[in-house]
Amino acid sequence: MAAANGAKGFEVPELDIKFTKLFINGQFVDAASGKTFETRDPRTGEVIAKIAEGDKADIDLAVKAAREAFDNGPWPRMPGCARARIMHRFADLVDQHVEELAALDTVDAGKLFLMGKMMDIPGGANLLRYYAGAADKIHGETLKMARPLHGYTLKEPVGVVGHIVPWNYPTTMFFFKVSPALAAGCTMVVKPAEQTPLSALFYAHLAKEAGIPDGVLNVVPGFGPTAGAAMASHMDVDKISFTGSTEVGRLVMQAAAMSNLKPVSLELGGKSPVIVFDDADVDMAVNLVNMATYMNKGEICVAGTRIYVQEGIYDAFVKKSVELAKKSVVGDPFNPNVHQGPQVDKDQYEKVLKYIDVGKSEGATLLTGGKPCSDKGYYIEPTIFTNVTDDMAIAQEEIFGPVMALMKFKTVEEVIQKANSTRYGLAAGVVTKNIDTMNTVSRSVRSGVVWVNCYFAFDPDAPFGGCKMSGFGKDMGTDALEKYLHTKTVVTPLYNTPWL
């Protein structure tokens, strides 16, 4: 593993943190309590800014603003094409601030600056445009009734939506949720993760500048047990969309059930298998698996961390995987030559290191990595374990860090059983040249998405979400739009009609 934490030799943009207050009803305001919390730079552990700390009182104010905007405001009542025009302006403004927004996600989450500029921020703008294109195409059906009745369905916005956004992809997840909800005509309150509130507040500012009416989009940073819990249990929130851990997802679902039985969509944890067959090109497979495991320093719900390699190429695969991991450059995410930045915060850093210790204590063989690699900040070496069994914690539990577990298999039937031997069902990867193998495995693995000879193949038109304890409900595609719509059936009698 190569470190890049010495003399800089690259430019770090100067950042002016412009927005640190709550955004409620079109205005930046202090928290009702006056409290703030610190957001820290994972490169150094130093404080970036103090952010207004929203709690129940602030969620109440934000929901009240969203309710007024939904019940009496123009957003749900304007033609879809009018919402689309505003959403396109919002996307254009995001494009105009790519550098600044990418820098905010880098200092807040430790994400690669270059990746943010190339993918995350433009991807958010493109999600807005995708759903802007759908805003004037929302319609129901005419029903063929069996009696002299005229029936049809309406697709109506569900109302006030609470979005709870994770810290690993602050921009991407913001627009996963906000874009389809805006297109549907909903109003909303967004609670960004306390680790990464900066870009969400900037997006609130851009939304107002684009012309989104006051109260439609509110952003309340705060902590899960206070702000998040208040939103999940709020009697005037009509829908919750949550991305995060399975443990917290349970609490969100319970709070929704115990309050007003609001519908919930959950995108939760994962322990995704990548299955490499003997006929695969080994070099291609090694590179693909390296990306699947270490992308975004392993802080991605669909990370391919259970790697099953067929016995005929296993030894060659292991050797090349270790060589590639050792070449990975870990360091300041503003450095364009760096492959892996720091974990998001001290808690996550310590959690990953603890799992590495657990892997060693359970008897897995540590081939490379496994240690911190900087005197300051939250950097961890890319790590590979072999001699992993399916019952080990590192093969069953989501680590959310740069840790790969390599396992050997013989037959298709065996590896299908192994791939499904987890409580999660978010994603899977298959690497093979055999179309029959691909078809069998992709239909047998229980997951929300299967990527064949590729990985992280996200697209605005491709629905994304899991099954089993990875949750339910889809982001992206038209499926995501549907979860922010309610179907209403309207029936009226027909008199003297010549036909039904």
Side-chain angles (χ1 to χ4, degrees):
M1 188 282 307
N5 287 321
K8 278 185 177 167
F10 58 92
E11 186 177 344
V12 176
E14 287 190 22
L15 261 183
D16 176 20
I17 307 299
K18 298 172 182 173
F19 307 109
T20 60
K21 297 184 178 184
L22 315 180
F23 187 78
I24 298 176
N25 204 25
Q27 303 295 323
F28 284 101
V29 296
D30 291 321
S33 67
K35 292 193 294 186
T36 62
F37 66 95
E38 296 174 342
T39 185
R40 292 179 177 268
D41 184 342
R43 300 176 303 154
T44 61
E46 296 171 1
V47 175
I48 309 165
K50 291 187 175 180
I51 308 296
E53 182 183 335
D55 56 24
K56 183 180 184 303
D58 306 290
I59 292 293
D60 286 344
L61 291 170
V63 172
K64 182 179 179 182
R67 173 56 60 194
E68 175 64 22
F70 185 79
D71 288 349
N72 300 304
W75 190 252
R77 292 160 186 82
M78 65 175 64
C81 59
R83 286 199 298 273
R85 281 195 295 271
I86 295 172
M87 291 174 69
H88 277 293
R89 284 202 294 269
F90 190 3
D92 292 343
L93 288 169
V94 171
D95 281 341
Q96 291 170 25
H97 294 84
V98 165
E99 293 260 342
E100 188 170 5
L101 288 161
L104 289 177
D105 281 351
T106 297
V107 298
D108 226 7
K111 297 177 67 65
L112 297 182
F113 181 53
L114 185 61
M115 191 70 73
K117 289 196 298 180
M118 292 176 59
M119 296 186 66
D120 289 22
I121 314 304
N126 287 337
L127 278 167
L128 277 170
R129 294 188 180 102
Y130 176 87
Y131 287 105
D136 61 353
K137 300 170 186 68
I138 297 168
H139 54 79
E141 298 178 301
T142 301
L143 306 175
K144 187 65 175 176
M145 309 291 277
R147 295 188 290 144
L149 300 168
H150 174 57
Y152 61 94
T153 60
L154 298 171
K155 293 286 189 177
E156 301 180 338
V158 295
V160 175
V161 180
H163 298 299
I164 303 177
V165 180
W167 44 256
N168 60 326
Y169 276 83
T171 289
T172 303
M173 294 297 169
F174 182 94
F175 287 111
F176 265 19
K177 299 181 182 303
V178 166
S179 304
L182 286 174
C186 296
T187 62
M188 63 210 70
V189 180
V190 180
K191 193 205 84 67
E194 62 268 22
Q195 295 91 340
T196 55
L198 295 179
S199 60
L201 293 170
F202 202 113
Y203 291 126
H205 159 71
L206 294 182
K208 183 176 177 69
E209 189 176 333
I212 291 178
D214 292 349
V216 172
L217 174 60
N218 306 273
V219 178
V220 182
F223 293 86
T226 50
M231 192 148 69
S233 61
H234 204 290
M235 293 296 292
D236 219 14
V237 171
D238 299 305
K239 161 84 181 180
I240 290 285
S241 176
F242 171 82
T243 297
S245 70
T246 298
E247 292 70 27
V248 177
R250 275 199 180 104
L251 297 175
V252 168
M253 197 170 177
Q254 182 181 39
M258 295 297 289
S259 52
N260 59 346
L261 281 171
K262 62 179 72 63
V264 173
S265 57
L266 304 173
E267 195 264 278
L268 307 175
K271 195 69 182 174
S272 300
V274 182
I275 303 166
V276 183
F277 287 91
D278 279 347
D279 65 341
D281 179 286
V282 174
D283 289 331
M284 183 278 274
V286 166
N287 280 284
L288 188 71
V289 165
N290 182 276
M291 177 185 70
T293 302
Y294 301 128
M295 171 78 83
N296 202 50
K297 46 314 194 322
E299 292 175 348
I300 180 167
C301 51
V302 293
T305 52
R306 293 188 297 140
I307 313 303
Y308 294 100
V309 183
Q310 203 162 16
E311 58 185 1
I313 60 169
Y314 179 81
D315 291 341
F317 186 96
V318 170
K319 180 175 182 291
K320 288 175 179 284
S321 293
V322 171
E323 290 171 354
L324 186 58
K326 287 180 175 179
K327 292 177 183 176
S328 183
V329 180
V330 180
D332 192 312
F334 281 107
N335 185 340
N337 297 315
V338 159
H339 303 123
Q340 180 184 309
Q343 309 308 128
V344 71
D345 64 8
K346 186 178 180 181
D347 287 347
Q348 186 62 23
Y349 169 80
E350 291 177 345
K351 175 187 172 186
V352 174
L353 292 174
K354 180 181 177 182
Y355 268 112
I356 292 170
D357 287 341
V358 168
K360 291 186 286 188
S361 68
E362 286 185 326
T365 301
L366 179 65
L367 290 187
T368 187
K371 301 187 296 297
C373 53
S374 178
D375 294 334
K376 63 178 181 177
Y378 309 126
Y379 299 90
I380 297 175
E381 295 174 342
T383 300
I384 296 178
F385 281 103
T386 56
N387 295 321
V388 179
T389 57
D390 288 316
D391 60 345
M392 290 182 178
I394 60 170
Q396 286 293 320
E397 298 175 20
E398 186 176 47
I399 299 173
F400 231 59
V403 181
M404 180 190 298
L406 277 170
M407 291 166 276
K408 187 190 299 184
F409 74 94
K410 290 184 178 181
T411 67
V412 172
E413 295 74 20
E414 175 196 3
V415 80
I416 289 170
Q417 186 276 325
K418 286 177 173 293
N420 287 330
S421 64
T422 171
R423 59 180 179 157
Y424 296 114
L426 194 54
V430 180
V431 187
T432 181
K433 296 175 183 175
N434 186 313
I435 189 68
D436 295 327
T437 300
M438 181 275 289
N439 282 329
T440 298
V441 176
S442 62
R443 284 161 171 74
S444 301
V445 172
R446 294 191 64 201
S447 65
V449 60
V450 178
W451 290 306
V452 180
N453 297 329
C454 59
Y455 211 80
F456 300 130
F458 292 106
D459 187 90
D461 202 44
F464 168 71
C467 60
K468 297 166 53 174
M469 290 180 68
S470 291
F472 47 84
K474 299 294 183 182
D475 290 316
M476 297 200 291
T478 56
D479 290 48
L481 187 64
E482 287 292 327
K483 73 183 183 184
Y484 299 110
L485 295 167
H486 164 72
T487 301
K488 177 187 285 182
T489 301
V490 181
V491 179
T492 184
L494 289 173
Y495 300 103
N496 303 317
T497 180
W499 56 77
L500 293 182

